[in-house]
Amino acid sequence: MAEAQRPTLLSLDDVLQRLLAVARERVLPDLEKVDTFDSLGRVLARSVVSALDVPPADNTSMDGYAMRAADVPVAGTVLPVSQRLPAGVVGQPLQPGTAVRIFTGAQVPAGADAVVMQEQCNAIDGDALGSVRIDAAPQPGQWVRRRGEDVQLGAEVLAAGTRITPQAMGLAASVGASRLTVRRRPRVALFSTGDELVMPGESLKPGAIYNSNRFTLRGLLLAAGCQVADLGIVPDRLDATRAALRTAAAGNDLILTSGGVSVGEEDHIKPAVKAEGWLEAWQVAMKPGKPLAFGAVRRDGGDSEALFMGLPGNPVSSFVTFLLAVAPVLRALQGCSTAMPAGLQVRADFDWPRPDRRREFLRARFNAQGGVELFPNQSSGVLTSAVWADGLVDLPPGQVVQRGDMVRLLPLSALIGA
Ligand code: AMP
Ligand code: MG
């Protein structure tokens, strides 16, 4: 195509700005209380504030003996043993001039200020609990975990807008939070277009391919905390596409489709969305990707609507477009604080001599030397590249890369489910 006839390309940043402006007006209003136990992947609508110090009291991080450091001025000091304290047992205040047999996690008794690990002590049998020879003079504070050293009373441990990771579940539990207030999960209707698509398990007739996007997108939606309504494969016909959109709009916040957003005669998504609601059809200056349809579909009655996003059909295009355009919308709908994860500066262990005029997202992987290498085939149909990769190298339009240059990497682990 001659330069003049090329459609205007929008930058991904401009597209994101538009998407987020719409999504932020539609943050899901419904809040739910969930058990912390079942909160993985949910987004907090209210922050978690600690009503206690963690740990709640000084305790020992070693099995050994607790004492006043001043009572053991030199290695080899012998002290009588006055108490035995397993974890969970609260002892008496320390009698000065004695040692306390103590086990990891037990509260250090009042008056004791140091613990000597058992490997540096020798128990001596005798009356009652006997005595102990301490073979290393302790520093005050040694092996003592201080009250509140992890969390202090009144501290906000998890802010509203945080997605609950496994470690956040643990942190909430550590401050005693048994229930969390989260946003409702986004409800997303998903369908694929394409008369060539068949499902795994079906026979592959001539001209057919297996529907991989249905699986990739389902996985991405589940990882993003969504409730997925799968509407299967919709035939490449306008009436069927319109009917599928109407069904999808009922009861869902977002309709997500793959395929059928180009300008071919068999691409019915855009006219169908236009007829059922409103549409912005974009050509985005990104590779893979480019065609992206955004809009909304009216619900019955017409006074409410479901958002719509139509992804390109090529498997890597739909994967990358989801991560860079759909995932931020889903995060915004859930009131998530981060729209996009930060990228890393990494060393390119590859050359990229012929860049595209679009911003490119190259499938790349770390090597053992701390640089990144590229999957040899960067075609938008090669899904193998997306499984092989650790991340996407984010190359500005027209950017030539020489081995050793620093480039920006977006880790897939941060993009998926973040
Ligand atoms: P389209 O965007 O419909 O023109 O499709 C672009 C390319 O992606 C074509 O080669 C399609 O066969 C392929 N494709 C579309 N949808 C899927 C899908 N769900 N799974 C795998 N490949 C697909
Ligand atoms: Mg198609």
Side-chain angles (χ1 to χ4, degrees), residues 70-81:
D71 288 340
V72 186
V74 292
T77 301
V78 174
L79 295 177
V81 177

Side-chain angles (χ1 to χ4, degrees), residues 193-194 196 236 259-260 266-267:
T193 70
E196 71 279 32
D236 285 327
E266 300 295 337
D267 294 320

Side-chain angles (χ1 to χ4, degrees), residues 74-362:
V74 292
T77 301
V78 174
L79 295 177
V81 177
S82 53
Q83 304 179 62
R84 185 175 184 281
L85 294 181
V89 172
V90 178
Q92 303 298 316
L94 180 80
Q95 284 169 255
T98 72
V100 172
R101 180 70 171 120
I102 197 165
F103 299 90
T104 303
Q107 284 189 15
V108 172
D113 62 4
V115 171
V116 178
M117 63 170 90
Q118 62 191 14
E119 291 79 358
Q120 295 177 331
C121 297
N122 273 290
I124 304 165
D125 285 343
D127 292 346
L129 294 168
S131 52
V132 59
R133 193 186 75 222
I134 297 159
D135 292 332
Q139 297 295 316
Q142 172 180 303
W143 302 123
V144 176
R145 297 190 284 221
R146 289 282 169 211
R147 170 180 181 155
E149 79 173 29
D150 185 358
V151 175
Q152 285 168 16
L153 184 149
E156 180 185 78
V157 293
L158 295 167
T162 304
R163 183 181 297 284
I164 301 292
T165 58
Q167 56 273 39
M169 283 172 76
L171 185 59
S174 78
V175 302
S178 62
R179 308 261 290 163
L180 301 174
T181 306
V182 299
R183 294 253 165 222
R184 166 166 81 62
R185 291 180 185 281
R187 298 184 192 120
V188 183
L190 175 65
F191 65 83
S192 328
T193 70
D195 287 345
E196 71 279 32
L197 302 175
V198 297
M199 285 294 284
E202 294 172 3
S203 68
L204 203 60
K205 51 188 191 298
I209 58 166
Y210 284 121
N211 183 348
S212 61
N213 293 347
R214 187 174 180 183
F215 292 79
T216 309
L217 294 173
R218 176 181 175 77
L220 287 167
L221 287 168
L222 293 175
C226 301
Q227 200 172 305
V228 184
D230 183 297
L231 302 184
I233 301 167
V234 171
D236 285 327
R237 284 197 332 260
L238 184 62
D239 56 344
T241 309
R242 286 185 63 172
L245 288 172
R246 284 195 296 271
T247 306
N252 288 295
D253 304 302
L254 173 70
I255 304 168
L256 185 67
T257 65
S258 80
V261 287
S262 305
V263 288
E265 284 163 25
E266 300 295 337
D267 294 320
H268 299 293
I269 286 284
K270 290 188 290 191
V273 175
K274 230 179 234 169
E276 297 293 334
W278 55 268
L279 176 84
E280 296 176 24
W282 296 326
Q283 297 291 315
V284 189
M286 63 184 284
K287 189 180 173 188
K290 195 155 110 179
L292 176 64
F294 175 61
V297 174
R298 284 185 301 275
R299 297 200 182 97
D300 272 350
D303 51 354
S304 73
E305 55 188 29
L307 285 180
F308 169 83
M309 293 186 78
L311 304 180
N314 275 309
V316 184
S317 304
S318 60
F319 175 68
V320 169
T321 313
F322 182 99
L323 294 177
L324 300 178
V326 182
V329 167
L330 293 171
R331 287 193 282 269
L333 289 176
Q334 292 176 90
C336 235
S337 35
T338 49
M340 256 331 217
L344 313 170
Q345 288 296 315
V346 297
R347 190 188 65 233
D349 284 351
F350 61 87
D351 292 303
W352 194 249
R354 279 177 297 280
D356 200 87
R357 70 183 185 120
R358 291 178 272 163
R359 181 170 167 187
E360 288 184 273
F361 294 95
L362 306 172

